[in-house]
Amino acid sequence: MPIRYDKTRAVVEGHAAVEEAGDLAAWLIAGAARKVDLAACTGMHAAVLQCLMALTPHVTAAPQDETLARWLAPVLVLPEDPPPAKPARRRRKVAA
Amino acid sequence: MTIQPFGPQPFGEHPFPRGPAPCPRVLVVDDTLTVRLYCAQLLAREGFEVAEAVNGVEALEQALEQDFDLFVVDINMARMDGYAFLAEVRRTPALQAIPAVMLSTEAAEGDIARAYQAGANFYLTKPVDPERFVATVKLMTGVPCR
Amino acid sequence: MPLKKPAPHAPPPAEANAEMAQLAASFVEESRKLLEEAGEALLALERDPDDGQAMGALFRAVHSIKGAAGLFDLPALVHLVHAGEDLLGAMREGRLRMDSGAADALFEGLDHVGRWVELFAAQGSLPPELMETARRYAAIYRARLAGLEGAEGAPAPAAAAVRHAWADAAGLPEGAPLVTIEYTPDESCFFSGDDPLRIAQSLPGLVWSELAPREPWAAPEAFDPYVCNLVFRLVSEAPHSEVEAHFRYMPDAVTIGLRESEPAPDPEAPKAPTGPLSPLAVELIEAQRRALAEHPRGGAHVAATLRNVAAALGLPVPPEEPAAAIAALLATAPPASEPEPLAIAEGSATRSDTPAERTLRVEQAKIDTLMNLVGEMVVAKNALPFLARDAEARFGSRELAREIKDKYAVIDRITRQLQSAVMEVRMMPVGDLFKRFPRLVRDIARKQDKLVRLEIEGEATEADKNVIEALAEPLTHILRNSLDHGIESREARLAAGKPETACVRLAAAQEADRVVIDVTDDGRGVDPARVRAKAIERGLIDEARAAQLTDAQAVQLVFLPGFSTAETVSDLSGRGVGMDAVRSVVERLGGTVTLESRCGEGTHVRLELPLSMAVTRVLTIDLGGQAYGIPIDLVIETVKVDPADIRRLKSAEAIVLRDAVIPIARLRSLLGMEPHPAKLESVLILRLGHATIGLVIDDFGTCMDIILKPFAGILAHMSGFSGSAVLGDGRVLLVLNLKEML
């Protein structure tokens, strides 16, 4: 169960697959102040990413997975105190 | 100096006495009516006199009959294409000094190289950016332009 | 239909709109013409893939459409046409061969473009979802190109030309060439199992990425998580081919470009001034270096260009020697004073006149109005003979009557000239109609796996626009019948000792004041036995009568309403319209249709039509005090006959006229009226098809021109009449349809 829904918070763990997108979108639309915790998220399907981009829930924790965080940083508003060892957030990344 | 956008200028106040012909004549050579019409509209709006030809042969005929200050030439045309037209122009003493800009959808380096080989002075790609097009024509005909 | 960018110094909106509308109209009209040319060239290529001239024409047509479409906001159209052009370019250069598969795909693409142009003409824009279709065809064309590249290992020329503007702003490292990718996954890609994010993340050599919504996000309630709305901009340092391989399953969703490192600056070139010289001016001056390199000895055009650029920028006249001039221009600091404001330049030059048109293009509605007015004039003119008669009969002034008749003659002559002048304008060559048939024949033949050659003759024959237009459907139907039922399968033809390729001939010619169109095929012909059987089965004729018919007469049964020889309903023969529909259209136009067939050898359908149909000349007749009209072209002569000279043969009647026996009919009995004995019978000798027949009426009237109006509404199906006309004195004249009656 990659997404666990609390009262006002969805906790995404592991890889969120395409099937999750429908539920997540419905849940996010149903309440205005709903939040998402991505700390334990290691990857997500593009459809899930779309939900986050389109419905702009407050993200309480950025993914600890560095690669994923780098992809998400430009398009989502991630919390200021990120997981450790995350490189400076920039709109663009230039890998080595 | 008062600016009179239209109508005759008072004689003594002619804005650019040292400029070339006050009303440059441009020949647009393109087999696509819509493109000719578009170029003609843009240039007529800026006060240019515009003539049109649908291929190189027709363009040569007109060029030999009338004075032009610039050729705007497409590449792909039936009968005589833009390259052949320009090559002919550069071979013809009466025409060889007339600047020419090539206007084409081809953006490959090979096409551009061929254009300069044939005798183009400049190369613009379609779709035409109107501002760039008008500014180019002004520069190439000596019409004051920033 | 906005232009991509607002034009500089845009004129007032009204003027701009008018210019825009003119441009759009020109684009639509020109594209129609180009599409037609492209279609013809494609047909020619299909017959002969080595026809270089057709290849050139096709490429140019497609290229021109692309060039013109680029002026408008028509991304789907441009996308499709562009891909088509790439494919055709490869074919033109001989890297790829035209085959029937490619021709099919190109035909379909052209059809789409044609529809889109019409849509654009009607609405001024295209719905964005058309991009799907455009991508589909682009993929088909690219797949053919890709097949070619796979075989030859050549790099994709189209891809190399792509340049992503965003890459310039991305702050990428200089030096090594980088591959730029714009990846726009298909909206429905989630349903085919794609995860675009994973595809993007796993791109080899990825050095930079950007992710954005393709369209602004919908409101939360309208948001559909399963419609992909993402676009990925990616930069890779992997080789082009590797990147291409990564996206090989979605070639249409990506554009791949090369970001080459800036060319090393020419060490000898003086540094371009960073002053007010515009980048364009610098570019233009730099370009002269290149132009000069190609023409080291000539260069007069280079010198002239440099002089003009200097004048435009208000710089001093540069040296005559071009190389020195380039250096001088790039080195010279621009004058301290501000350049002349543009407005002055505008004012100095006179506005040019719009280029003169050699021909005058007129909307058809205007010609129609003119035609209607001429028609009314004809009718008004017809009132004059009545007026002359009144002058004489009621007011006793023979002189006035003669004068009116004289004036009538003058007006009559002018009206006729006017009429023929307008007719002339309305004439169009049948070629305009025939043009569509090669495609039709090709498509049907391919569907049925038959080989058919269509020969067209007499395209230049002209007829009235209405006639031509009304003929489209009947001719289509005749050709379809011919291909569906006439032409045998290839095996059957070979078995019958015929050439495998069938021949259908479509020929037009003018004969006197009529157009004759012949459609001939060398198929199996119409089987009289089968026609008889079918007619009996359908209850159209009884067995005894069928047996009496000659074979030639029997095949005419196909024209009966309710008859259809189609054994199976194919999607080709259309909605079950039979030859009866053909006949009724042709006859409504005042024409005739005949069918001849030789079983096993072929069928010949002949349509004969008047050149024009706007005005009909009729002979009026009197019957029980009511005036009727009979088309004058049916009337051979009028005779008065002593009733005693009418011979009775069994129940039929006939007269002998110059040794010919002519059967007669009595209009009164045909219309169910009481007989009306007369001292001398008035008989009209008529030609109906190939038969001559006499028609007994009460009295002859006069000849007159009428505008025949077919019956509308509930009267439309009234048999026996082809329409009505209003006479000069206000009476209504019913025009008889004798072909139906006799």
Side-chain angles (χ1 to χ4, degrees):
Chain A
M1 192 61 179
I3 303 186
R4 198 153 40 80
Y5 294 100
D6 291 354
K7 226 178 186 171
T8 60
R9 194 180 57 146
V11 182
V12 187
E13 288 164 352
H15 185 90
V18 63
E19 303 81 50
E20 311 282 343
D23 288 350
L24 178 63
W27 184 80
L28 288 172
I29 292 166
R34 302 202 157 166
K35 302 189 263 288
V36 179
D37 179 343
L38 298 176
C41 177
T42 56
M44 60 177 72
H45 190 276
V48 176
L49 175 62
Q50 272 202 148
C51 293
L52 301 178
M53 286 171 73
L55 303 170
T56 59
H58 179 61
V59 180
T60 57
Q64 281 165 11
D65 183 290
E66 221 177 286
T67 319
L68 182 63
R70 271 213 299 263
W71 275 88
L72 299 188
V75 288
L76 301 180
V77 182
L78 298 183
E80 269 312 310
D81 51 345
K86 193 174 165 291
R89 257 193 316 281
R90 297 218 336 231
R91 227 180 111 65
R92 303 177 178 115
K93 65 166 186 140
V94 177
Chain B
M1 183 194 294
T2 51
I3 294 168
Q4 277 182 273
F6 296 107
Q9 300 284 331
F11 201 74
E13 281 189 273
H14 201 285
F16 39 87
R18 69 197 159 94
C23 177
R25 292 173 48 84
V26 178
L27 178 62
V28 177
V29 193
D30 196 310
D31 60 349
T32 311
L33 170 66
T34 311
V35 173
R36 288 201 306 276
L37 197 59
Y38 182 62
C39 292
Q41 276 178 7
L42 284 176
L43 295 179
R45 208 182 282 162
E46 298 288 339
F48 289 92
E49 216 176 291
V50 184
E52 300 172 26
V54 298
N55 58 47
V57 177
E58 219 176 84
L60 267 182
E61 281 167 9
Q62 289 198 45
L64 289 168
E65 274 170 20
Q66 309 167 39
D67 288 332
F68 287 103
D69 299 287
L70 180 70
F71 300 128
V72 176
V73 190
D74 181 32
I75 291 180
N76 272 297
M77 290 178 289
R79 287 184 74 191
M80 184 191 258
D81 70 7
Y83 299 133
F85 167 72
L86 279 187
E88 203 53 50
V89 161
R90 296 294 170 240
R91 260 200 297 278
T92 310
L95 305 177
Q96 68 191 174
I98 300 174
V101 54
M102 204 132 216
L103 188 63
S104 170
T105 43
E106 317 291 344
E109 177 50 36
D111 295 303
I112 300 175
R114 269 193 76 188
Y116 283 108
Q117 257 163 41
N121 290 93
F122 202 45
Y123 195 98
L124 289 178
T125 41
K126 286 189 220 170
V128 195
D129 175 329
E131 267 170 70
R132 193 170 151 84
F133 175 66
V134 169
T136 303
V137 172
K138 282 184 173 180
L139 280 170
M140 293 185 73
T141 53
V143 172
C145 164
R146 248 181 294 211
Chain C
M1 51 195 153
L3 276 183
K4 283 187 163 171
K5 269 194 175 185
H9 314 294
E15 195 182 326
N17 285 345
E19 282 187 357
M20 204 54 230
Q22 190 190 1
L23 206 57
S26 142
F27 166 69
V28 169
E29 194 174 316
E30 184 170 37
S31 300
R32 285 185 188 137
K33 198 184 94 226
L34 290 167
L35 283 166
E36 214 167 76
E37 286 171 16
E40 280 168 24
L42 194 48
L43 272 177
L45 276 171
E46 210 184 15
R47 278 194 298 273
D48 175 13
D50 297 319
D51 185 341
Q53 209 171 349
M55 189 71 239
L58 176 57
F59 180 83
R60 265 197 310 280
V62 171
H63 178 82
S64 289
I65 294 172
K66 188 188 80 172
L71 297 174
F72 306 93
D73 189 18
L74 301 172
L77 201 156
V78 173
H79 188 71
L80 197 162
V81 174
H82 191 155
E85 188 196 5
D86 287 347
L87 178 62
L88 290 172
M91 289 177 175
R92 190 173 65 148
E93 286 160 26
R95 289 187 285 133
L96 201 65
R97 239 177 108 76
M98 176 69 77
D99 56 40
S100 58
D104 277 343
L106 287 165
F107 265 128
E108 283 172 26
L110 288 177
D111 285 349
H112 279 292
V113 173
R115 276 194 289 275
W116 295 350
V117 167
E118 296 312 317
L119 206 59
F120 174 67
Q123 304 177 348
S125 63
L126 291 182
E129 59 268 21
L130 294 184
M131 200 62 190
E132 291 290 315
T133 314
R135 286 212 189 86
R136 202 167 67 238
Y137 281 93
I140 295 171
Y141 301 156
R142 298 244 159 81
R144 291 197 163 258
L145 270 173
L148 157 84
E149 271 133 25
E152 296 183 3
V162 172
R163 199 180 150 87
H164 292 124
W166 49 261
D168 297 323
L172 296 171
E174 299 292 330
L178 295 171
V179 180
T180 59
I181 302 109
E182 186 155 306
Y183 170 35
T184 315
D186 194 89
E187 276 188 2
S188 57
C189 68
F190 296 159
F191 295 101
S192 45
D194 283 356
D195 181 355
L197 183 58
R198 182 187 302 232
I199 291 168
Q201 284 172 331
S202 58
L203 177 70
L206 181 69
V207 292
W208 186 89
S209 71
E210 189 177 70
L211 178 56
R214 184 188 340 180
E215 309 267 328
W217 294 109
E221 316 78 58
F223 172 69
D224 181 348
Y226 293 123
V227 173
C228 184
N229 185 36
L230 297 171
V231 48
F232 295 82
R233 298 189 180 115
L234 309 166
V235 177
S236 163
E237 54 188 8
H240 190 281
S241 55
E242 208 170 309
V243 172
E244 220 171 30
H246 185 74
F247 288 106
R248 66 193 174 282
Y249 294 116
M250 54 221 83
D252 254 358
V254 291
T255 55
I256 301 176
L258 267 182
R259 185 184 167 282
E260 281 165 75
S261 47
E262 291 299 308
D266 187 347
E268 277 175 53
K271 218 168 151 40
T274 46
L277 268 193
S278 70
L280 176 67
V282 174
E283 199 182 331
L284 192 48
I285 296 166
E286 294 274 10
Q288 299 323 299
R289 199 192 299 282
R290 195 165 173 183
L292 186 64
E294 299 289 351
H295 296 259
R297 265 194 297 275
H301 60 297
V302 177
T305 303
L306 291 167
R307 264 199 312 279
N308 286 350
V309 172
L313 297 169
L315 297 172
V317 179
E320 188 54 35
E321 205 277 299
I326 294 169
L329 281 177
L330 289 176
T332 322
S337 65
E338 278 294 297
E340 303 269 357
L342 281 172
I344 300 175
E346 269 180 39
S348 66
T350 52
R351 287 185 150 248
S352 74
D353 293 326
T354 42
E357 288 272 25
R358 293 207 186 91
T359 51
L360 191 61
R361 243 176 274 149
V362 183
E363 271 171 64
Q364 201 201 325
K366 290 186 183 161
I367 301 285
D368 288 347
T369 308
L370 201 53
M371 195 70 224
N372 285 341
L373 288 173
V374 172
E376 280 176 36
M377 176 96 153
V378 168
V379 173
K381 171 204 78 176
N382 284 345
L384 291 178
F386 291 98
L387 187 63
R389 201 185 55 199
D390 277 1
E392 190 170 346
R394 281 172 52 197
F395 304 104
S397 174
R398 177 168 291 193
E399 209 168 309
L400 181 59
R402 198 171 47 236
E403 212 154 304
I404 294 174
K405 278 180 186 159
D406 285 351
K407 288 278 174 287
Y408 169 75
V410 175
I411 297 174
D412 185 53
R413 179 175 53 81
I414 298 173
T415 314
R416 272 172 197 289
Q417 286 174 352
L418 186 59
Q419 196 180 311
S420 62
V422 178
M423 298 283 199
E424 191 88 342
V425 175
R426 291 175 52 91
M427 291 296 232
M428 61 187 252
V430 292
D432 287 3
L433 170 65
F434 285 3
K435 256 186 243 169
R436 68 176 78 180
F437 294 128
R439 175 77 195 275
L440 176 87
V441 168
R442 167 199 179 272
D443 285 357
I444 300 176
R446 282 182 60 82
K447 263 194 195 167
Q448 303 189 346
D449 194 27
K450 291 174 181 173
L451 292 176
V452 181
R453 185 175 74 243
L454 178 67
E455 287 177 1
I456 292 184
E457 267 174 47
E459 296 106 310
T461 312
E462 289 194 328
D464 187 88
K465 196 165 190 310
N466 285 352
V467 175
I468 301 266
E469 279 169 1
L471 273 180
E473 214 175 305
L475 272 180
T476 305
H477 192 78
I478 292 169
L479 283 169
R480 281 186 161 164
N481 263 343
S482 177
L483 274 105
D484 278 3
H485 313 304
I487 307 293
E488 313 87 333
S489 68
R490 285 150 73 169
E491 301 75 33
R493 286 185 68 87
L494 289 173
K498 291 183 178 184
E500 193 178 9
T501 301
C503 177
V504 176
R505 222 173 121 258
L506 184 59
Q510 186 178 338
E511 286 181 11
D513 60 345
R514 296 174 82 75
V515 216
V516 180
I517 298 178
D518 290 298
V519 185
T520 324
D521 69 49
D522 63 351
R524 63 167 77 91
V526 180
D527 182 353
R530 239 171 66 188
V531 172
R532 278 198 193 90
K534 181 84 53 173
I536 294 165
E537 182 195 316
R538 298 272 152 100
L540 302 172
I541 188 172
D542 59 43
E543 266 180 72
R545 180 104 187 270
Q548 282 171 6
L549 295 174
T550 62
D551 283 356
Q553 285 168 332
V555 295
Q556 308 302 324
L557 292 171
V558 299
F559 288 117
L560 288 178
F563 185 96
S564 172
T565 46
E567 304 276 279
T568 54
V569 181
S570 71
D571 67 322
L572 301 170
S573 297
R575 307 129 302 199
V577 220
M579 290 298 281
D580 63 314
V582 172
R583 188 179 69 163
S584 73
V585 170
V586 171
E587 290 187 351
R588 206 172 53 234
L589 295 173
T592 55
V593 52
T594 51
L595 184 145
E596 281 168 40
S597 159
R598 269 197 295 262
C599 203
E601 287 176 38
T603 311
H604 171 196
V605 180
R606 165 171 281 213
L607 309 181
E608 274 186 50
L609 294 136
L611 285 177
S612 68
M613 58 190 256
V615 173
T616 315
R617 201 163 175 82
V618 294
L619 176 69
T620 62
I621 57 159
D622 181 68
L623 199 72
Q626 162 81 47
Y628 293 92
I630 289 173
I632 197 89
D633 52 0
L634 297 179
V635 180
I636 302 171
E637 63 180 311
T638 58
V639 290
K640 294 266 185 182
V641 180
D642 189 322
D645 289 340
I646 296 178
R647 321 241 171 127
R648 280 178 181 74
L649 309 149
K650 292 183 191 161
S651 65
E653 291 180 306
I655 54 170
V656 176
L657 192 68
R658 291 188 288 274
D659 296 335
V661 178
I662 298 169
I664 60 169
R666 291 173 183 270
L667 187 56
R668 277 183 168 260
S669 63
L670 288 173
L671 293 175
M673 293 161 77
E674 289 297 306
H676 173 78
K679 263 188 271 167
L680 278 179
E681 299 277 19
S682 303
V683 181
L684 283 175
I685 308 298
L686 306 169
R687 179 173 24 232
L688 293 175
H690 295 301
T692 305
I693 193 167
L695 185 70
V696 181
I697 55 171
D698 286 6
D699 205 355
F700 308 118
T702 54
C703 277
M704 62 171 66
D705 294 324
I706 56 155
I707 306 293
L708 184 63
K709 300 238 161 74
F711 290 117
I714 49 165
L715 292 177
H717 302 293
M718 191 161 76
S719 65
F721 298 96
S722 48
S724 65
V726 180
L727 296 186
D729 60 353
R731 281 184 302 156
V732 172
L733 182 79
L734 294 175
V735 178
L736 298 168
N737 184 344
L738 293 171
K739 284 171 202 155
E740 216 163 274
M741 235 180 235
L742 294 171

